[in-house]
Amino acid sequence: GAVVSQHPSWVICKSGTSVKIECRSLDFQATTMFWYRQFPKQSLMLMATSNEGSKATYEQGVEKDKFLINHASLTLSTLTVTSAHPEDSSFYICSARDPDGWEGYQETQYFGPGTRLLVL
Amino acid sequence: AQSVSQHNHHVILSEAASLELGCNYSYGGTVNLFWYVQYPGQHLQLLLKYFSGDPLVKGIKGFEAEFIKSKFSFNLRKPSVQWSDTAEYFCAVSFYNQGGKLIFGQGTELSVKP
């Protein structure tokens, strides 16, 4: 149980285009998902918290208009990188909160396999 | 600001050697503690976690970790590593009533020589 998938696994795009990444919880409902960014040989940096049916909460320094998050259903959150530029090239990882956890207190996150984005 | 630090950036061991990876966090309140592993080309997997109770927790693949509250530490241990343990290890902390957000340490790359 608690499997999270992401699509696509990798994408190459031209500078100025927009790219959408999907994050799905396959066998459970996730009211909250998280989006992270990981640079090579570095740790994960939380970008935003995605809440089903409401606006995402962005971390300080993350551009809301650049990274659009939509959590339209209990099993799907999407991250759209708008007008992508080479500096947006990175590994984007999503996670979903354990549905059996005690929200905000004792809970586990399960991670997707990540999406590697390369902007030319 | 809340932070998590891992002492070792890269650890190289021979098979059968014992492993201990350090992790410290900055916050003095109630925390949840995790160790995740990322094998080459794979996604993050949960090794073990601590919420409350016995400060010595056992995880998968023979790993264990000990929570020492007075030292704000949650070190990962394994008595005898295998070549297949070669991976990146991340310590992560979430803080009570913070919406479940995880703060990750910098990661430790473990290389096990056969």
Side-chain angles (χ1 to χ4, degrees):
Chain A
V3 178
V4 178
S5 70
Q6 281 184 243
H7 178 79
S9 56
W10 59 270
V11 58
I12 302 173
C13 69
K14 293 182 179 180
S15 184
T17 61
S18 294
V19 174
K20 180 184 284 188
I21 302 170
E22 294 184 346
C23 177
R24 293 182 185 273
S25 55
L26 296 186
D27 50 1
F28 65 102
Q29 293 182 330
T31 56
T32 302
M33 292 182 175
F34 301 88
W35 286 97
Y36 296 83
R37 185 172 179 176
Q38 185 181 28
F39 291 101
K41 299 293 185 180
Q42 294 188 30
S43 188
L44 283 75
M45 181 192 76
L46 178 65
M47 298 174 65
T49 303
S50 171
N51 301 297
E52 188 269 334
S54 65
K55 290 183 178 180
T57 304
Y58 291 82
E59 295 300 300
Q60 191 172 9
V62 178
E63 299 176 59
K64 301 178 183 181
D65 296 331
K66 176 75 171 176
F67 300 99
L68 300 179
I69 292 173
N70 187 321
H71 196 151
S73 78
L74 287 171
T75 59
L76 174 64
S77 174
T78 60
L79 169 69
T80 300
V81 183
T82 62
S83 186
H85 288 93
E87 58 266 29
D88 298 323
S89 298
S90 191
F91 194 49
Y92 293 89
I93 306 173
C94 73
S95 71
R97 172 185 284 161
D98 178 1
D100 295 327
W102 182 17
E103 186 172 318
Y105 293 90
Q106 294 183 354
E107 56 188 27
T108 304
Q109 289 183 29
Y110 294 96
F111 287 81
T115 296
R116 193 164 300 282
L117 170 64
L118 178 60
V119 184
L120 302 176
Chain B
Q2 299 155 343
S3 64
V4 179
S5 63
Q6 291 180 237
H7 312 307
N8 311 100
H9 181 64
H10 190 187
V11 173
I12 302 173
L13 295 173
S14 298
E15 275 194 317
S18 63
L19 169 72
E20 180 160 1
L21 301 181
C23 173
N24 286 87
Y25 61 95
S26 63
Y27 181 65
T30 304
V31 295
N32 299 320
L33 300 157
F34 307 85
W35 277 96
Y36 285 90
V37 60
Q38 189 174 33
Y39 296 103
Q42 297 189 28
H43 64 281
L44 280 167
Q45 299 174 37
L46 180 67
L47 268 181
L48 47 78
K49 62 186 178 184
Y50 173 81
F51 287 163
S52 62
D54 188 344
L56 183 62
V57 293
K58 295 190 182 300
I60 60 172
K61 306 186 180 186
F63 287 91
E64 65 178 31
E66 184 176 11
F67 171 48
I68 303 179
K69 189 173 182 179
S70 61
K71 295 184 178 180
F72 305 107
S73 70
F74 190 56
N75 291 355
L76 180 71
R77 299 195 292 250
K78 186 171 184 178
S80 177
V81 295
Q82 300 172 322
W83 176 78
S84 58
D85 293 323
T86 295
E88 187 91 17
Y89 291 81
F90 292 96
C91 178
V93 180
S94 68
F95 303 94
Y96 267 35
N97 205 23
Q98 293 288 311
K101 293 192 296 185
L102 280 176
I103 297 177
F104 281 84
Q106 305 92 321
T108 297
E109 183 180 350
L110 173 64
S111 299
V112 180
K113 298 184 292 184

